[in-house]
Amino acid sequence: MQMITSEDYTEFIGPNAGTYLFNFAKFQTLRDGFTVTWHWPAFFFGFWWFLYRKMYFWAFITFLVGFLPFGNFIAQLGYGLSAYYFYYRDCTGKIGAIKATAPVGGASAMLRDTGGVHGWVKIVGVVCFFLQPAWIMLMSMLFGSAFFFSFHQVML
Protein backbone atom coordinates (compact mmCIF):
# COMPACT_ATOMS: atom_id res chain seq x y z
CA MET A 1 0.00 0.00 0.00
CA GLN A 2 1.23 3.44 -0.92
CA MET A 3 1.60 6.15 1.67
CA ILE A 4 -1.16 8.76 1.72
CA THR A 5 0.20 12.29 1.57
CA SER A 6 -1.37 15.56 2.65
CA GLU A 7 -1.70 16.44 -1.05
CA ASP A 8 -3.80 13.30 -1.52
CA TYR A 9 -6.05 14.34 1.35
CA THR A 10 -6.30 17.89 -0.04
CA GLU A 11 -7.30 16.58 -3.48
CA PHE A 12 -9.89 14.28 -1.96
CA ILE A 13 -11.39 16.62 0.65
CA GLY A 14 -11.90 19.69 -1.50
CA PRO A 15 -13.34 22.70 0.40
CA ASN A 16 -11.86 23.48 3.82
CA ALA A 17 -9.08 20.92 3.47
CA GLY A 18 -6.82 22.85 5.84
CA THR A 19 -9.19 22.46 8.79
CA TYR A 20 -9.55 18.77 8.12
CA LEU A 21 -5.82 18.21 7.70
CA PHE A 22 -5.17 19.91 11.05
CA ASN A 23 -7.49 17.45 12.78
CA PHE A 24 -6.33 14.47 10.70
CA ALA A 25 -2.80 15.10 12.00
CA LYS A 26 -4.08 14.46 15.53
CA PHE A 27 -5.32 11.01 14.52
CA GLN A 28 -2.12 10.23 12.64
CA THR A 29 0.02 11.00 15.69
CA LEU A 30 -2.07 8.41 17.55
CA ARG A 31 -1.48 5.85 14.75
CA ASP A 32 -5.04 6.21 13.44
CA GLY A 33 -6.44 6.21 16.98
CA PHE A 34 -9.43 8.23 18.08
CA THR A 35 -9.20 11.46 20.01
CA VAL A 36 -12.01 13.85 20.79
CA THR A 37 -12.43 16.76 18.38
CA TRP A 38 -15.40 19.05 17.80
CA HIS A 39 -17.18 19.73 14.53
CA TRP A 40 -20.03 22.26 14.65
CA PRO A 41 -21.60 21.50 11.26
CA ALA A 42 -21.84 17.79 12.11
CA PHE A 43 -23.37 18.65 15.47
CA PHE A 44 -26.08 20.91 14.03
CA PHE A 45 -26.66 19.23 10.66
CA GLY A 46 -25.49 15.62 11.14
CA PHE A 47 -27.48 13.94 8.37
CA TRP A 48 -26.92 16.77 5.91
CA TRP A 49 -23.23 17.08 6.73
CA PHE A 50 -22.64 13.36 6.15
CA LEU A 51 -24.47 13.60 2.82
CA TYR A 52 -22.53 16.75 1.89
CA ARG A 53 -19.24 14.93 2.51
CA LYS A 54 -20.41 11.79 0.60
CA MET A 55 -20.45 9.57 3.67
CA TYR A 56 -23.59 7.63 2.76
CA PHE A 57 -23.38 4.94 5.44
CA TRP A 58 -23.23 7.51 8.25
CA ALA A 59 -25.97 9.58 6.61
CA PHE A 60 -28.19 6.49 6.65
CA ILE A 61 -27.36 5.80 10.30
CA THR A 62 -28.11 9.41 11.31
CA PHE A 63 -31.38 9.26 9.39
CA LEU A 64 -32.44 6.17 11.34
CA VAL A 65 -31.27 7.55 14.68
CA GLY A 66 -33.39 10.65 14.06
CA PHE A 67 -36.47 8.52 14.61
CA LEU A 68 -35.44 7.40 18.08
CA PRO A 69 -37.19 9.25 20.87
CA PHE A 70 -34.81 11.24 23.07
CA GLY A 71 -31.76 9.71 21.40
CA ASN A 72 -31.34 12.40 18.80
CA PHE A 73 -29.61 14.99 21.02
CA ILE A 74 -27.22 12.40 22.42
CA ALA A 75 -26.48 11.29 18.87
CA GLN A 76 -25.88 14.90 17.82
CA LEU A 77 -23.26 15.20 20.56
CA GLY A 78 -21.66 12.04 19.21
CA TYR A 79 -21.59 13.44 15.68
CA GLY A 80 -19.98 16.66 16.90
CA LEU A 81 -17.36 14.79 18.91
CA SER A 82 -16.43 12.20 16.30
CA ALA A 83 -17.19 13.64 12.84
CA TYR A 84 -13.55 14.47 12.06
CA TYR A 85 -12.54 10.93 12.97
CA PHE A 86 -15.32 9.36 10.90
CA TYR A 87 -14.29 11.51 7.96
CA TYR A 88 -10.61 10.73 8.48
CA ARG A 89 -11.33 6.98 8.38
CA ASP A 90 -13.56 7.41 5.33
CA CYS A 91 -10.98 9.49 3.45
CA THR A 92 -8.10 7.19 4.36
CA GLY A 93 -9.95 4.08 3.20
CA LYS A 94 -11.15 5.58 -0.07
CA ILE A 95 -7.82 7.23 -0.90
CA GLY A 96 -5.97 3.98 -0.18
CA ALA A 97 -8.30 2.04 -2.48
CA ILE A 98 -7.95 4.62 -5.25
CA LYS A 99 -4.16 4.73 -5.03
CA ALA A 100 -3.99 0.93 -5.08
CA THR A 101 -6.07 0.61 -8.24
CA ALA A 102 -5.44 3.86 -10.15
CA PRO A 103 -3.01 3.94 -13.06
CA VAL A 104 0.21 5.83 -12.46
CA GLY A 105 -0.50 9.56 -12.58
CA GLY A 106 -4.29 9.09 -12.73
CA ALA A 107 -5.00 9.07 -9.02
CA SER A 108 -5.35 12.84 -8.71
CA ALA A 109 -8.40 13.09 -10.98
CA MET A 110 -9.98 10.05 -9.35
CA LEU A 111 -9.44 11.56 -5.90
CA ARG A 112 -11.19 14.78 -6.91
CA ASP A 113 -14.10 12.90 -8.51
CA THR A 114 -14.62 10.42 -5.67
CA GLY A 115 -14.08 12.90 -2.86
CA GLY A 116 -15.17 16.47 -2.54
CA VAL A 117 -18.67 17.50 -1.63
CA HIS A 118 -22.22 17.44 -2.96
CA GLY A 119 -23.18 21.06 -3.59
CA TRP A 120 -26.84 20.14 -4.05
CA VAL A 121 -27.08 19.08 -0.38
CA LYS A 122 -27.03 22.71 0.78
CA ILE A 123 -29.94 23.62 -1.48
CA VAL A 124 -32.03 20.55 -0.62
CA GLY A 125 -31.32 21.03 3.08
CA VAL A 126 -32.54 24.63 3.05
CA VAL A 127 -35.64 23.70 1.05
CA CYS A 128 -36.45 20.89 3.50
CA PHE A 129 -35.88 23.24 6.43
CA PHE A 130 -38.55 25.58 5.13
CA LEU A 131 -40.92 22.88 3.87
CA GLN A 132 -41.01 20.98 7.16
CA PRO A 133 -43.15 23.54 9.04
CA ALA A 134 -45.51 23.76 6.06
CA TRP A 135 -45.81 19.97 5.99
CA ILE A 136 -46.53 19.83 9.73
CA MET A 137 -49.15 22.54 9.43
CA LEU A 138 -50.82 20.79 6.48
CA MET A 139 -50.91 17.45 8.30
CA SER A 140 -52.28 19.17 11.41
CA MET A 141 -55.06 20.76 9.40
CA LEU A 142 -55.93 17.50 7.65
CA PHE A 143 -55.56 15.06 10.52
CA GLY A 144 -55.36 17.20 13.67
CA SER A 145 -59.04 16.83 14.49
CA ALA A 146 -58.79 13.05 14.20
CA PHE A 147 -56.04 13.09 16.81
CA PHE A 148 -58.04 15.38 19.06
CA PHE A 149 -61.15 13.18 18.87
CA SER A 150 -59.22 9.96 19.45
CA PHE A 151 -57.46 11.54 22.44
CA HIS A 152 -60.82 12.78 23.76
CA GLN A 153 -62.30 9.25 23.51
CA VAL A 154 -59.40 7.76 25.46
CA MET A 155 -59.85 10.29 28.22
CA LEU A 156 -63.59 9.55 28.62
Side-chain angles (χ1 to χ4, degrees), residues 131-144:
L131 285 181
Q132 183 182 16
W135 177 256
I136 291 170
M137 189 167 60
L138 177 66
M139 291 297 109
S140 297
M141 288 186 327
L142 294 175
F143 302 108

Side-chain angles (χ1 to χ4, degrees), residues 18-75:
T19 303
Y20 289 97
L21 291 177
F22 174 77
N23 286 287
F24 287 6
K26 295 175 187 177
F27 306 128
Q28 289 170 337
T29 57
L30 296 171
R31 295 191 180 122
D32 295 343
F34 176 77
T35 188
V36 173
T37 54
W38 186 255
H39 196 277
W40 283 108
F43 172 72
F44 284 118
F45 311 106
F47 170 74
W48 297 106
W49 181 79
F50 286 121
L51 265 184
Y52 180 69
R53 286 286 169 186
K54 300 182 179 181
M55 297 173 62
Y56 306 115
F57 171 76
W58 289 109
F60 179 71
I61 296 298
T62 58
F63 180 77
L64 293 179
V65 168
F67 290 103
L68 296 175
F70 308 111
N72 198 20
F73 182 71
I74 295 168

